[in-house]
Amino acid sequence: MKVINFTFFVFLFLIITAKASELEVKWRTNLLVPRPDLASSGSHVCFDEQGTQIIKDGAEDPSDVAFSNDGLTYVIGNIRNDGITNRIIVYKLTKPFDLDTVKNDCSQFRFNPWKDMTTETNERVESIRFSRDGSKFFIVNENGEIFSYDLSTPFDLSTRSYITELDLTGSRISIEFSADGMQLFKLDGKNLDPTIEVYDLPGPYDTSSATLNYTLDLNDTEIETLQSPAQMQALDFEFNDTGSAIYILAQTTSPGNDTGFSKSAIFQYNTAANYDISSVQFKGRWNVVFDPDDAFSGIGKPYGFAFGAAGMKLFVTNHREDASSVDRTNEYNLECPYGIYECTSDARSNLGSQVELAKQNISLNTSTIFKRFEWIKRNRNKENLNNFSINIDTDNRLLLSLKDNLQASLNNKKSQSDAKNRRSDWSYWNHADISIGSFDATLFEKPKQIRTRGLTFGADKKYGENKYFGTAVRYGNSGADIKYSAQAINLESLTLNIYGTIPTDQYRYSNAILGLSILRFDQIFSGKVTGKRNGKQAFTALNFRTKKTYGKFNFTPSGRFNYGITNLSHFTDFISKAKRGTDIIYDEKTFETGEIAGGFLFDINEIKVPDGILRPNGGFEMILDISPDLSFNHSNVGGTKTNKATIEKYSHKRLKGNIGFEAIYENGITFSINYEKITHKDRERSYSHQDTILFKFGRINKNDSEFVMNFNPNQNNKTELSYTKRFNNFNLKMDTNYSLFSKIPEYGANLQISGTF
């Protein structure tokens, strides 16, 4: 009977398509809240927090815009100074960062922030900002006073409570914060002497006090050459999400589009290090262009701007002084994150993806091997022995008798071993795994989708009564797609796993794994490989088990410990190969990872099927991540300062569950499938998970290997040792010869592969 041994492997291909264009203009008209024709019609009568019916344009004279992290809350500040529309207007969107989807109902509201103060004022609202986590909101008036609020529900201004005021004085003020909230940046847009001041705060986003640290004079920058100082004014500014670039909006005194050398523009600068404006480097500018409206005359002037969708969109307010014109917020699509002039890279999200892929390489290797341990446990009595034989070619009766006795002894031992379920044969197996993970955004990293495919080949053998030893090689191909970004990471890995089972007493035993991996990362920007990074990895894992089972599902407790060390090489991300941008140098880094897990496993009693048996199995674990905090160094090519990026763990605690079955057939073929899910449990307002499917195919071997010793004293005592292994239709033979008693020894070694079809 011809037996065909095959390997089944499923590849999951993710086809990624992207369409982008440089500053594709999509201008939007702010809807009236409510529209005048609906202002008195039943359910569409809407009121503000003071009970005043809303009958005017909700975005009259917009000065600044801000968004919630999910892009579904859109906030506008107004500069109109009539005592009525000095308000904050909140819109709700049905699609993130898409102004086409503004809800035209009473879910929008507006409020007068000055009524929250002890002494009501009616100054213009110049600037608005949220903290990164949305727990605080800030308003700046025309006198440079900063008013801060706590929000009990992030980004929900209806849950605000006024905290304090910080008076920094100035004119046309705009503010920004560093990523950790420990520094406050204030743009003072004075016509003749615009500056950006840097203040140290006593705590994250704590504006109860501020200490001046540094002042950047914008007259020393390219903004001075926009026009003569009397005809320009810096009004608003933004950092990108890492602080590696700063963008400054300068407005001309006369409205209109760019018709010559210069008009209103947004300038892009690179910082010396993240949020370090001590020596900014000018990169370029984009002249603000507004589309004229056929229904109303006039173009308008920009007052404020904001980025959305992790820098893939730009929003600019369009203030029209003509009373008959409708003020707007213009929406622009960008070809790459923050790509007003050149693309910027999110180094922290890149590094976070590399760390997560490296950790998953350890997790998937150990998970695969531990699945093999469980298979051995359930099938320990079905292992086979190898076949050994001795041939002695001689006429010497004594040697022939010795040969017969030795062969009989080997055959007897083999027969005894067969009676003990042939426990010493090598068993060969392979495993395929497919994993998809979705990781929500953190305060400092963009969300990402991670996919992994792997194929493992292994072999193991039983020694004695309860000891096993084996080795396996896994090839993995992984990728991380960083959302709202032009960036992605690919990883190829090759891992050697050495594993074994050692009993500690009659009822308990330990499973151990030692793994060595080679890693190769490809950095991708806008679909092009812009950098390559090499890595090395060593890890170990211990699993503590007991032979005792409980209940009809055969529950058994399990404990596990993983520890790994990963080294990532120095490399440069050449963004400029894909788009206009600044290249980034990443330093070499060695880091540790580890986790402790405890839970239980189960396997249901055998279910008979035609020509075999079926066993359902599964388990549940609580995993504690004990990895230390990680920080990486990187710098811009040509720069003089180094940035430090701290990588957050997605969670300290995770839940892991798996369920599957294995089938064992009488012809020796085995098959199993297992579904595994890991969820991250302790991040607020986020849900990150990893789903893995593992396929295993194997074959229990029967007498398909042979060890032979040939001794011929009639040919100069020639001795031959050979080992033959049969793989289906192929034979692998290794042999050596040696003249045992010759004064001039002769010896050699041969490797032979043959096939029969």
Side-chain angles (χ1 to χ4, degrees):
M1 177 179 177
K2 185 178 181 180
V3 178
I4 299 176
N5 185 22
F6 61 92
T7 300
F8 174 75
F9 184 60
V10 179
F11 282 102
L12 177 64
F13 290 98
L14 299 180
I15 300 175
I16 305 170
T17 59
K19 181 180 179 180
S21 60
E22 279 194 67
L23 287 171
E24 177 190 344
V25 178
K26 294 172 62 180
W27 58 268
R28 302 286 180 252
T29 300
N30 284 334
L31 300 180
L32 306 183
V33 187
R35 301 202 315 265
D37 58 324
L38 299 176
S40 60
S41 59
S43 62
H44 288 282
V45 176
C46 304
F47 300 89
D48 63 17
E49 288 190 335
Q50 283 72 44
T52 303
Q53 183 175 341
I54 303 174
I55 59 174
K56 302 187 74 172
D57 181 358
E60 188 75 20
D61 297 347
S63 59
D64 202 5
V65 293
F67 286 87
S68 59
N69 288 346
D70 63 9
L72 296 176
T73 299
Y74 166 50
V75 184
I76 294 180
N78 285 346
I79 59 174
R80 193 168 178 84
N81 196 21
D82 59 4
I84 297 176
T85 55
N86 281 334
R87 314 227 176 185
I88 304 297
I89 300 91
V90 181
Y91 294 89
K92 295 295 182 180
L93 310 178
T94 59
K95 292 183 179 180
F97 303 104
D98 188 347
L99 300 189
D100 275 338
T101 66
V102 171
K103 292 182 179 179
N104 187 38
D105 56 28
C106 293
S107 63
Q108 294 89 22
F109 69 97
R110 62 181 181 176
F111 64 92
N112 189 338
W114 317 128
K115 291 185 178 294
D116 296 329
M117 318 302 171
T118 304
T119 303
E120 182 178 338
T121 61
N122 281 310
E123 289 89 359
R124 297 148 53 106
V125 174
E126 297 284 356
S127 179
I128 56 176
R129 288 290 183 274
F130 285 107
S131 62
R132 278 220 174 191
D133 62 0
S135 64
K136 292 183 182 295
F137 182 65
F138 303 90
I139 299 172
V140 184
N141 68 10
E142 60 187 294
N143 297 321
E145 297 167 320
I146 303 172
F147 303 92
S148 59
Y149 293 84
D150 273 336
L151 305 181
S152 58
T153 300
F155 299 103
D156 185 351
L157 291 174
S158 66
T159 66
R160 71 190 184 278
S161 58
Y162 174 66
I163 306 173
T164 188
E165 170 191 340
L166 175 65
D167 188 358
L168 296 181
T169 69
S171 62
R172 304 310 301 266
I173 299 299
S174 178
I175 62 170
E176 262 284 14
F177 293 91
S178 59
D180 58 8
M182 293 300 295
Q183 285 189 313
L184 167 68
F185 299 82
K186 185 198 79 172
L187 169 66
D188 190 338
K190 296 184 290 289
N191 276 20
L192 298 178
D193 191 20
T195 60
I196 295 180
E197 297 173 344
V198 185
Y199 293 86
D200 294 329
L201 301 180
Y205 300 100
D206 181 359
T207 57
S208 59
S209 63
T211 303
L212 181 63
N213 179 300
Y214 178 79
T215 299
L216 170 66
D217 187 351
L218 293 178
N219 275 329
D220 294 334
T221 69
E222 283 70 19
I223 289 180
E224 184 178 13
T225 66
L226 178 65
Q227 285 189 328
S228 59
Q231 293 180 297
M232 59 82 67
Q233 190 167 34
L235 297 181
D236 196 11
F237 77 112
E238 298 271 349
F239 285 103
N240 65 352
D241 52 2
T242 63
S244 63
I246 186 172
Y247 306 85
I248 302 172
L249 169 65
Q251 180 201 87
T252 59
T253 56
S254 59
N257 287 324
D258 181 52
T259 57
F261 171 70
S262 57
K263 291 289 184 182
S264 298
I266 298 177
F267 293 79
Q268 179 174 343
Y269 296 84
N270 280 359
T271 58
N274 291 349
Y275 298 101
D276 180 359
I277 63 172
S278 60
S279 56
V280 294
Q281 179 185 12
F282 176 66
K283 304 303 295 186
R285 77 176 191 218
W286 173 70
N287 295 328
V288 177
V289 178
F290 291 148
D291 281 357
D293 182 18
D294 294 336
F296 302 99
S297 61
I299 298 297
K301 293 187 294 185
Y303 267 79
F305 73 104
F307 292 101
M312 295 301 290
K313 285 195 174 185
L314 170 69
F315 301 87
V316 184
T317 63
N318 183 355
H319 175 217
R320 299 186 174 190
E321 296 180 344
D322 188 340
S324 63
S325 297
V326 178
D327 298 316
R328 302 175 174 180
T329 298
N330 283 33
E331 177 184 332
Y332 304 86
N333 288 334
L334 304 181
E335 65 170 349
C336 58
Y338 303 93
I340 287 180
Y341 178 77
E342 71 169 23
C343 301
T344 65
S345 175
D346 183 353
R348 196 187 300 260
S349 292
N350 277 346
L351 293 166
S353 298
Q354 293 175 15
V355 169
E356 191 62 36
L357 288 173
K359 292 171 69 174
Q360 285 196 15
N361 184 66
I362 296 176
S363 176
L364 290 169
N365 272 281
T366 56
S367 181
T368 296
I369 303 301
F370 282 132
K371 294 288 189 302
R372 177 62 181 176
F373 282 133
E374 293 308 306
W375 187 92
I376 291 173
K377 172 181 174 290
R378 291 187 290 268
N379 299 277
R380 66 176 71 247
N381 295 325
K382 294 182 173 59
E383 302 302 305
N384 303 313
L385 280 173
N386 289 319
N387 180 42
F388 293 90
S389 64
I390 295 179
N391 292 324
I392 299 179
D393 185 9
T394 180
D395 294 328
N396 187 300
R397 292 180 179 271
L398 180 62
L399 290 177
L400 287 174
S401 175
L402 176 62
K403 176 256 184 185
D404 291 338
N405 289 333
L406 287 173
Q407 187 65 62
S409 176
L410 288 171
N411 290 339
N412 181 55
K413 289 184 177 180
K414 180 178 184 298
S415 177
Q416 293 176 2
S417 299
D418 287 340
K420 295 179 181 179
N421 300 306
R422 304 181 198 152
R423 59 178 174 268
S424 66
D425 261 4
W426 285 93
S427 184
Y428 298 89
W429 57 276
N430 52 67
H431 232 131
D433 58 83
I434 299 173
S435 179
I436 298 177
S438 179
F439 296 85
D440 282 354
T442 70
L443 288 179
F444 302 103
E445 287 186 49
K446 296 182 176 71
K448 57 182 68 71
Q449 189 86 11
I450 292 181
R451 67 200 184 282
T452 302
R453 303 169 293 249
L455 181 60
T456 306
F457 294 94
D460 42 51
K461 185 177 181 179
K462 185 176 182 179
Y463 293 88
E465 292 297 325
N466 296 302
K467 296 180 181 179
Y468 289 85
F469 171 81
T471 183
V473 176
R474 179 182 182 273
Y475 169 77
N477 188 301
S478 309
D481 297 320
I482 303 173
K483 295 183 179 179
Y484 312 119
S485 171
Q487 300 165 241
I489 308 288
N490 282 345
L491 167 65
E492 284 188 294
S493 61
L494 186 65
T495 304
L496 171 64
N497 296 280
I498 301 171
Y499 60 93
T501 298
I502 303 174
T504 54
D505 58 31
Q506 184 179 357
Y507 299 105
R508 288 179 290 271
Y509 61 94
S510 298
N511 299 319
I513 304 171
L514 174 64
L516 300 171
S517 297
I518 298 173
L519 311 176
R520 173 64 178 268
F521 294 91
D522 283 344
Q523 179 71 44
I524 298 172
F525 198 95
S526 293
K528 296 182 180 180
V529 176
T530 56
K532 294 181 180 294
R533 187 171 207 176
N534 297 320
K536 297 174 291 186
Q537 196 173 64
F539 60 88
T540 186
L542 294 174
N543 179 228
F544 307 100
R545 298 298 312 279
T546 176
K547 296 179 182 178
K548 295 182 178 180
T549 62
Y550 304 91
K552 63 180 181 180
F553 293 109
N554 299 320
F555 289 104
T556 57
S558 174
R560 176 171 59 84
F561 168 75
N562 289 0
Y563 174 77
I565 299 177
T566 303
N567 172 266
L568 300 182
S569 68
H570 167 282
F571 91 108
T572 301
D573 184 7
F574 293 99
I575 300 171
S576 58
K577 289 184 177 180
K579 296 289 182 181
R580 185 167 56 194
T582 300
D583 300 333
I584 300 178
I585 300 172
Y586 294 84
D587 290 353
E588 180 182 0
K589 178 67 177 182
T590 299
F591 60 90
E592 300 171 278
T593 57
E595 60 185 31
I596 299 173
F600 62 85
L601 302 175
F602 69 87
D603 58 90
I604 301 174
N605 293 332
E606 297 178 356
I607 302 172
K608 291 191 176 297
V609 297
D611 300 322
I613 59 173
L614 190 71
R615 286 199 191 99
N617 56 80
F620 176 85
E621 281 184 329
M622 172 69 78
I623 302 172
L624 178 65
D625 192 335
I626 58 173
S627 305
D629 293 335
L630 303 178
S631 61
F632 292 77
N633 293 331
H634 61 93
S635 58
N636 293 338
V637 171
T640 58
K641 294 192 177 182
T642 299
N643 292 305
K644 186 179 292 292
T646 300
I647 306 302
E648 292 182 296
K649 288 184 286 191
Y650 278 94
S651 64
H652 294 276
K653 297 184 291 293
R654 292 174 286 161
L655 295 178
K656 176 181 177 180
N658 74 88
I659 189 168
F661 69 87
E662 67 182 20
I664 303 175
Y665 297 96
E666 293 176 357
N667 62 5
I669 298 295
T670 66
F671 167 75
S672 66
I673 185 171
N674 197 277
Y675 170 71
E676 187 174 278
K677 188 178 187 71
I678 299 175
T679 58
H680 302 257
K681 297 300 296 179
D682 61 347
R683 291 198 62 85
E684 296 182 1
R685 304 179 304 279
S686 68
Y687 176 66
S688 298
H689 64 93
Q690 179 183 342
D691 298 271
T692 304
I693 298 177
L694 300 103
F695 302 89
K696 174 183 175 292
F697 289 84
R699 179 169 175 259
I700 300 174
N701 300 285
K702 297 180 180 179
N703 300 328
D704 56 359
S705 61
E706 182 179 30
F707 175 79
V708 177
M709 182 182 76
N710 292 318
F711 173 60
N712 191 342
N714 296 327
Q715 293 186 11
N716 197 28
N717 299 312
K718 184 177 180 180
T719 305
E720 292 183 345
L721 301 175
S722 69
Y723 173 77
T724 303
K725 177 67 184 176
R726 286 178 285 278
F727 298 92
N728 294 324
N729 297 322
F730 294 92
N731 291 329
L732 171 66
K733 183 177 181 180
M734 294 178 288
D735 58 48
T736 181
N737 61 77
Y738 183 72
S739 299
L740 190 62
F741 299 109
S742 173
K743 293 182 179 180
I744 304 176
E746 295 180 2
Y747 54 87
N750 299 289
L751 176 65
Q752 176 182 325
I753 301 176
S754 61
T756 302
F757 300 93

